[in-house]
């Protein structure tokens, strides 16, 4: 419907320009002939030049207007594609394969809440590194790596910040607060560990407070 409206609009605009140019041509020609008293050939020559100049100016305006419409259309298309891509990426967190991982991590945080405090973090490290807790360690690392990937893409503009914030804002904040000391401990060994997740979570927490 929008395309049909634009097509009719452009056709009417073209006819309006043609009529205006014809009227302008006649008005200028008769002004040269009867008001200025010029000869028909000179009047026709100057009238043609003036009309062509007006036509060139209107054509330029039309192309500028058309270019603006194309840019707006492309921007809208880009925003829609970015939104769809963002939802597709974020939906991975809700897939069945992640359900066990999410549950294992939730149980881990609840069980080890005291050991996740700064003064007990070494106890948590010992627990998570124990061979018997490999599934819980896997759940923790997979989740943090997933959040790290999402955060990196948001920070460089490959994902829509507002959409990801609506979907994960509070979750990022809760997990970062709970796992802050563990993340800092790992960063002592590998400084780049989950830095994008940390940066984005801090940013959203700060925005939530303001």
């Amino acid at each position: 419907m929008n395309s049909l409206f634009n097509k009719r609009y452009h056709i009417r605009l073209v006819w309006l320009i043609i009529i205006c140019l014809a009227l302008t041509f006649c008005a200028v020609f008769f002004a040269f002939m009867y008001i200025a008293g010029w000869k028909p050939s000179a009047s026709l020559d100057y009238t043609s030049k003036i009309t062509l100049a007006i036509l060139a100016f209107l054509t330029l305006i039309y192309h500028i207007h058309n270019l603006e419409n194309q840019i707006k259309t492309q921007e809208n298309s880009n925003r829609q594609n970015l939104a769809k891509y963002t939802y597709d990426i974020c939906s991975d967190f809700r897939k069945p394969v992640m359900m066990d991982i999410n549950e294992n991590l939730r149980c881990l945080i609840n069980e080890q809440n005291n050991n996740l405090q700064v003064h007990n973090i070494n106890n948590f490290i010992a627990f998570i590194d124990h061979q018997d807790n490999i599934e819980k360690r896997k759940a923790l690392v997979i989740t943090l790596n997933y959040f790290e990937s999402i955060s990196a893409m948001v920070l460089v503009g490959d994902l829509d910040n507002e959409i990801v914030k609506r979907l994960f804002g509070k979750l990022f904040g809760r997990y970062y607060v709970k796992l802050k000391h563990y993340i800092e401990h790992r960063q002592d060994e590998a400084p780049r560990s989950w830095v994008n997740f940390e940066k984005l979570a801090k940013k959203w927490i700060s925005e939530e407070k303001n």
Side-chain angles (χ1 to χ4, degrees):
M1 181 64 71
N2 238 0
S3 175
L4 181 61
F5 173 79
N6 288 333
K7 187 175 181 181
R8 288 177 177 174
Y9 168 77
H10 282 109
I11 292 173
R12 289 174 181 174
L13 182 60
V14 169
W15 275 109
L16 182 62
I17 290 173
I18 291 172
I19 292 170
C20 288
L21 284 174
L23 292 174
T24 301
F25 183 90
C26 293
V28 173
F29 180 76
F30 284 111
F32 282 143
M33 278 280 294
Y34 297 105
I35 297 175
W38 288 13
K39 292 181 179 180
S41 58
S43 299
L44 183 62
D45 181 51
Y46 278 94
T47 301
S48 299
K49 290 177 180 178
I50 292 172
T51 305
L52 289 174
I54 294 173
L55 178 61
F57 177 75
L58 291 175
T59 302
L60 178 62
I61 296 297
Y62 173 80
H63 283 302
I64 291 174
H65 175 70
N66 197 40
L67 180 60
E68 288 178 350
N69 285 337
Q70 289 179 2
I71 292 172
K72 288 178 181 177
T73 301
Q74 187 61 48
E75 287 176 347
N76 289 334
S77 176
N78 290 342
R79 280 195 294 269
Q80 290 174 357
N81 290 336
L82 180 62
K84 183 180 183 305
Y85 180 64
T86 301
Y87 279 116
D88 288 343
I89 293 294
C90 293
S91 66
D92 289 344
F93 191 70
R94 309 297 180 189
K95 288 182 177 179
V97 70
M98 290 292 292
M99 298 302 293
D100 291 340
I101 292 173
N102 295 336
E103 182 60 21
N104 285 340
L105 181 57
R106 187 187 67 81
C107 292
L108 172 66
I109 291 175
N110 288 338
E111 293 170 4
Q112 294 292 312
N113 184 60
N114 188 54
N115 285 337
L116 283 167
Q117 305 305 313
V118 62
H119 50 280
N120 291 329
I121 197 63
N122 287 329
N123 293 337
F124 178 76
I125 300 299
F127 175 85
I128 204 68
D129 286 344
H130 195 278
Q131 186 63 30
D132 292 343
N133 300 315
I134 187 170
E135 290 301 319
K136 293 179 180 179
R137 181 170 69 250
K138 186 187 298 184
L140 175 62
V141 173
I142 287 175
T143 301
L144 285 175
N145 286 345
Y146 175 78
F147 286 168
E148 174 70 4
S149 299
I150 292 289
S151 301
M153 295 176 76
V154 169
L155 291 172
V156 299
D158 288 341
L159 293 180
D160 187 289
N161 177 79
E162 292 306 313
I163 293 176
V164 178
K165 186 178 179 181
R166 285 199 297 271
L167 293 173
F168 290 124
K170 294 186 182 300
L171 186 66
F172 271 36
R174 287 199 302 270
Y175 274 133
Y176 176 71
V177 170
K178 291 289 186 181
L179 301 170
K180 175 182 177 181
H181 303 301
Y182 171 71
I183 291 172
E184 289 175 349
H185 178 85
R186 289 305 186 198
Q187 287 175 344
D188 289 340
E189 303 170 353
R192 298 299 299 171
S193 298
W194 307 306
V195 291
N196 291 297
F197 168 59
E198 180 182 42
K199 181 178 180 180
L200 192 61
K202 285 181 175 179
K203 176 176 178 286
W204 286 348
I205 290 172
S206 176
E207 290 173 355
E208 191 72 21
K209 290 179 180 178
N210 296 332

